[in-house]
Structures are given as C-alpha cells and as structure tokens.
Amino acid sequence: MKSAKEFWDKSAARYAKSPVQNEAVYQKKLAITQEYLQPDWSILEFGCGTGSTAIIHAPCVRHIVASDISSRMLEIAEIKAREAGIGSISFQQGALEELKLPPESFDAVLGLNVLHLLDDVNAAIARVHDLLKPGGIFVSSTALVNNVSLFWRLVIPLMQLLGLAPHVSRFGKQELLSMLAKAGFTPEFEWQPDQASVFIVARKPASIPTNQ
C-alpha cells in the first residue's frame, strides 16, 4: 500500500475537480459550524485537502491554520485562497502529530472527513484536545466505515492493495463517542445525515476557577 502522503499527492488534482457528494448536507455542516465561530477566533483545520472549507470559514474568524499531509493538496489550496482574496489562512504541510503548534492555542479545531483515514484515531483526538483552549470546540465529520455496505467492506482492501484507496480505520458512532469522551470531550451536537457518516461538535471543558 502507498504511504498516505504519496496516495494523496497523486490524488490531489482529481480530488480538486471532484464535486461535493451531497451539497445540501455540506451546506448544513457549514451552517452549523458557523453558528459556533466567533470573529476573534483562531482555528485549526487538519486534513484540509484543497482548502475549500477553510476558505468558506475564513471571513468568520480571525485566523485559520490549515494543514494537510499532502503538499500537492496544499499547493492547490494556496492558489484557491489567493484567487479568493483570502489572506487570513496559513497553510502547513504535515500530519497532525507533526505540526509545531503550542498547546491550547486554538478556539476550534476542524477535522472533516479525516479521522477515519488516520492510523491512530485515539492519539489524534487527544492531540486535538491538547491544542484547544479550555472551552474550545472540536468539529468532526467522519465516515463510519463499519456501517458501509458489505460490498465496499469487501472491495476496499482490494483497492488498497492496488493503490486505489488509502488506509481506513473502522469504527462506529458509539466507538467514536467513546474515544471523544476518553480524551475529555463533551459532545454538544450530533447529526447522522446517513448510516455511514456522523457530524459531531464536541467541547473541551472550560477551566474551573480556583480559589485564591
């Protein structure tokens, strides 16, 4: 199987041209996310792909760090941001665990259509928790590979052997909720647009004041 970076670098041009699978679902996710965003916020989107979602959210916040494992994806994202006249996005190449970012530096972290593509989902969620300020939110949109049809569960391993599909981690909604709880998150919003995906907004608890 190809490395994740190699796979997504090769897929970047095709990915950039592919339409959103369900425009109504995508727009609802954007709207829900923007209900939480504040103008003075700094946010991180990891696995940003070609930057479409970061560009849409950029006018709603102060600054976005948008990262992806694929340098080719980011090349396209930077062109799109420049053409859109967006200067408030900083792009960083690398996996989530590789990014040189200080703890508690973001008001929100977005992980959209990416958790199921990671080798260690628990570690990624713990890293997100570490990067969030107390009271910050984690917005995730995740494929539930355990819930896809039997056909795809049989075909995906073959596609991976042929280099036509990336690594996928298999978990269901309750497993994901358990991973979030283990990391210290409290889910505030949960929506399943279909059986094989879930959209969750979870919050890192605010710091409890101590008596002086």
Side-chain angles (χ1 to χ4, degrees):
M1 188 189 303
K2 296 178 180 178
S3 70
K5 183 181 186 307
E6 184 183 4
F7 177 86
W8 292 112
D9 277 346
K10 186 174 181 180
S11 304
R14 183 176 71 252
Y15 179 88
K17 296 175 182 177
S18 61
V20 175
Q21 288 188 352
N22 189 318
E23 186 66 31
V25 168
Y26 180 61
Q27 291 299 323
K28 181 173 179 178
K29 291 175 182 178
L30 293 174
I32 293 167
T33 302
Q34 291 185 0
E35 289 176 4
Y36 286 87
L37 302 181
Q38 300 294 327
D40 62 342
W41 274 18
S42 177
I43 72 176
L44 166 69
E45 183 184 0
F46 67 98
C48 71
T50 57
S52 297
T53 300
I55 290 168
I56 291 171
H57 289 320
C60 301
V61 298
R62 179 174 57 84
H63 184 251
I64 298 177
V65 175
S67 71
D68 200 275
I69 197 170
S70 168
S71 55
R72 295 280 180 85
M73 290 278 195
L74 293 180
E75 288 172 6
I76 296 169
E78 289 176 336
I79 292 170
K80 289 167 64 174
R82 188 161 56 248
E83 290 177 344
I86 300 294
S88 57
I89 304 176
S90 300
F91 293 99
Q92 290 193 26
Q93 190 272 325
L96 179 62
E97 67 274 11
E98 299 169 343
L99 301 176
K100 306 298 183 184
L101 301 168
E104 298 189 356
S105 54
F106 295 99
D107 300 283
V109 175
L110 313 183
L112 308 172
N113 301 314
V114 67
L115 287 180
H116 64 287
L117 301 175
L118 304 179
D119 292 318
D120 192 336
V121 181
N122 275 298
I125 293 173
R127 170 73 165 149
V128 170
H129 190 275
D130 180 61
L131 291 171
L132 278 171
K133 298 175 183 178
I137 60 166
F138 177 32
V139 182
S140 64
S141 179
T142 310
L144 304 174
V145 181
N146 275 353
N147 293 353
V148 301
S149 68
L150 177 61
F151 171 80
W152 283 111
R153 276 180 281 162
L154 294 173
V155 168
I156 286 173
L158 178 59
M159 293 177 67
Q160 289 170 328
L161 286 173
L162 297 174
L164 301 176
H167 164 85
V168 292
S169 291
R170 301 187 179 205
F171 51 82
K173 182 181 73 172
Q174 290 306 316
E175 291 173 90
L176 178 56
L177 289 171
S178 295
M179 287 188 277
L180 289 166
K182 179 182 177 182
F185 283 105
T186 301
E188 285 194 352
F189 181 88
E190 177 189 325
W191 176 46
Q192 275 196 267
D194 55 65
Q195 183 181 3
S197 65
V198 65
F199 179 81
I200 296 174
V201 181
R203 190 174 296 276
K204 177 178 178 176
S207 297
I208 300 173
T210 56
N211 295 326
Q212 299 295 323

